[in-house]
């Protein structure tokens, strides 16, 4: 029978060997490592060492424009696959919040530009409806004052009151606006900025 210290020594040696394999890329972070009776999940992401980074820079510099494009396509495809797997694993792929985060991650500035364009258009339509619909913003503020005990109606300029009511109503439209933005971002952005591949 092996004594406990010898068994621990074998465990540590095996663990170091497996972590070394992980750093070499043979075992990827997220994999489960079984060592004897112990099971470990690799929870860190190994980064390239300075030497490896320099080697990769030199390798990429030697690629033609076409080769770089092909390699970027493959990397983008793999990233999309990994993000989908991560979304499935966390459950975010099936939630509205998760889809919103994925759009922000995948479309970045274009997504934010589209979101704010929709926000501004709903604000302009709301302001137009208030002005043309003869809704008295000051009467609404006075009504709110009667509930809160404040006296904002006497201190607010009527034009600023209309803008304030517009902002409040516009924010109340968020539960309607957000699904529209989430559903239309991909087709709108891809129509304006078509993918090269």
């Amino acid at each position: 029978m092996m004594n406990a210290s010898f068994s621990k020594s074998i465990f540590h040696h095996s663990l170091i060997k497996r972590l070394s394999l992980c750093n070499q890329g043979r075992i990827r972070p997220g994999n489960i490592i079984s060592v004897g009776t112990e099971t470990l999940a690799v929870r860190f992401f190994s980064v390239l060492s300075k030497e490896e980074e320099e080697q990769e820079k030199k390798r990429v510099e030697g690629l033609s424009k076409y080769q770089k494009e092909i390699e970027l396509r493959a990397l983008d495809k793999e990233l999309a696959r990994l993000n989908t797997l991560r979304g499935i694993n966390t459950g975010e792929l099936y939630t509205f919040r998760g889809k919103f985060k994925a759009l922000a991650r995948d479309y970045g500035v274009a997504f934010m530009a589209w979101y704010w364009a929709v926000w501004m258009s709903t604000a302009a339509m709301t302001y137009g409806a208030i002005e043309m619909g003869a809704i008295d913003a000051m009467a609404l503020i006075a009504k709110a004052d009667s509930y809160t005990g404040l006296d904002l109606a006497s201190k607010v300029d009527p034009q600023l009151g209309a803008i304030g009511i517009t902002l409040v109503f516009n924010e109340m439209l968020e539960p309607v606006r957000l699904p529209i933005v989430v559903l239309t971002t991909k087709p709108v952005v891809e129509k304006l900025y078509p993918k090269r591949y």
Side-chain angles (χ1 to χ4, degrees):
M1 260 188 114
M2 289 191 283
N3 64 24
S5 65
F6 181 72
S7 177
K8 249 186 190 179
S9 172
I10 290 175
F11 170 77
H12 289 293
H13 175 72
S14 181
L15 177 62
I16 290 169
K17 175 76 173 162
R18 291 187 187 247
L19 290 177
S20 170
L21 292 173
C22 184
N23 285 335
Q24 294 171 13
R26 294 190 209 167
I27 298 176
R28 295 195 177 1
N31 287 20
I32 303 297
I33 298 175
S34 296
V35 181
T37 59
E38 301 289 327
T39 301
L40 303 170
V42 180
R43 295 181 181 258
F44 62 89
F45 294 94
S46 62
V47 294
L48 296 175
S49 67
K50 288 291 181 189
E51 296 83 25
E52 291 170 326
E53 187 177 332
E54 289 302 318
Q55 286 175 349
E56 182 63 15
K57 280 183 187 177
K58 287 177 185 174
R59 185 191 70 79
V60 169
E61 286 172 0
L63 296 175
S64 69
K65 188 175 179 181
Y66 176 76
Q67 289 171 323
K68 284 181 186 178
E69 187 69 27
I70 295 299
E71 191 166 315
L72 284 173
R73 287 180 189 185
L75 289 172
D76 285 345
K77 184 178 178 182
E78 183 64 15
L79 283 173
R81 188 182 79 76
L82 290 174
N83 282 326
T84 302
L85 290 174
R86 186 179 192 287
I88 291 169
N89 210 340
T90 61
E92 287 182 343
L93 185 66
Y94 309 107
T95 65
F96 202 69
R97 181 174 177 256
K99 290 178 184 175
F100 185 82
K101 285 171 59 176
L103 283 174
R105 178 194 65 229
D106 295 341
Y107 292 97
V109 174
F111 167 72
M112 292 310 293
W114 176 240
Y115 175 82
W116 285 109
V118 173
W119 191 94
M120 293 285 208
S121 64
T122 57
M125 288 188 288
T126 304
Y127 184 76
I130 288 172
E131 288 296 313
M132 291 182 182
I135 296 173
D136 187 7
M138 298 313 291
L140 288 173
I141 293 173
K143 187 74 168 173
D145 284 346
S146 69
Y147 291 120
T148 61
L150 299 173
D151 187 26
L152 292 176
S154 64
K155 299 175 186 172
V156 175
D157 177 56
Q159 189 68 29
L160 290 177
I163 292 171
I165 295 297
T166 297
L167 292 175
V168 169
F169 283 153
N170 196 35
E171 286 306 309
M172 290 171 67
L173 289 173
E174 187 67 26
V176 175
R177 181 176 45 244
L178 186 60
I180 291 170
V181 169
V182 168
L183 292 173
T184 59
T185 294
K186 188 174 182 178
V188 168
V189 171
E190 288 180 357
K191 181 75 171 174
L192 294 174
Y193 306 102
K195 288 187 175 183
R196 293 185 318 218
Y197 44 86

